[in-house]
Amino acid sequence: MRIEKTQLKNYRNIENIEIEPCDGVNIIYGENAQGKTNILESIYLFTGLKSFRSSKDSELVYFGKERAEIRTEFFSGGRNQSAEIKITDRRRAVLNGVSLPSPTGLMSKFPAALFSPGFLSLIQNGPSERRKFIDSAICQIHPKFAVILSEYTKLLKQRNAVLRNNENYNETKLFLECINESFAAAGEKVYAERKKYLSELLPFVEDIYNGLSSGKEKITFSYLKKGDSEDKLAFEEILKNHEKADICSGMTLTGPHRDDIDININSVSARNFGSQGQKRSAAIALKLSEAEIIKNMTGENPVILLDDVMSELDASRQDYILNHIEGKQVFITCCDPSAVRILNVGKTFNIINGGIKE
């Protein structure tokens, strides 16, 4: 998978820009608020997912314009392809000249792995961020997982609604007996997919983090199943054990929606004791490992999108990112032009006021 050309029109602060990247590392640099991240964001939209910076599509349109357009020519699946996204108050997508019912139709057609500063919340914040990471990663390679996750979420809402409005203990208990079997079955599917994905991810994370830290640090992680510290009980059994607590609290206290991923560096919690550089390195290692999983599952090397990745990294870690990611097309944004000098082989684009400085 590689991008041959990408063009943006009336996208955020960019009126018209065209980029022809190289097959390796592409550095997009310049001062703040010039449009660097906008370029990465526009590429990411071709995954079929929403923007990583905005929930409203209308915010992606240049002020005063009716719509934005982004086009890309790329090589994937052994052939040259093209895609186009038009944005007004919503997005419309075209793949190889065929209009798609929804931009989600691009999922699995345009594989990409993204790191943005917000992704550091994976390490720094609570369990929901880590669950969101793994679920989004699985959806990219197994779109049907989104259906499984949606079914689990729907049943969870039903279960919580009854628990929240509990007026009769016996009636609530009877309802739980009716819903627990299907709820547990959906939960077990979510749990199994997450565990499988993490077992495949860990070897790549260990190897990449070892490279980032020059072999000085070791990263490990494990899946924490809420309500079962030893990870031996079936979900339906866990629900039965916590039934009284659920009824008393008015919510479902156990299940995949409460699980976590424990991330450690040199055997201590990265969240609680890791330096900013270590946390950033851990997040980068997870994202680059996600790319390896995509490659193994789809046969395609995904595009790597790294936004403001150099901050708080020492010279050796920067060198690893710029010069030791092999076989993949990489797009990196940064403010400090020194990264351009460190790059051994690649292409650079200096962005000023939404355009490329010649």
Side-chain angles (χ1 to χ4, degrees), residues 75 121 174 239 244 348:
F75 184 86
S121 60
L174 181 61
L239 289 171
K244 187 174 181 179
T348 63

Side-chain angles (χ1 to χ4, degrees), residues 180-210:
N180 275 358
E181 183 177 353
S182 55
F183 180 58
E188 287 287 5
K189 290 178 182 177
V190 173
Y191 169 69
E193 288 291 338
R194 287 178 178 174
K195 284 279 288 185
K196 181 176 182 291
Y197 185 83
L198 283 177
S199 68
E200 295 169 348
L201 191 73
L202 180 56
F204 293 116
V205 175
E206 291 178 333
D207 183 60
I208 292 169
Y209 191 90
N210 182 68

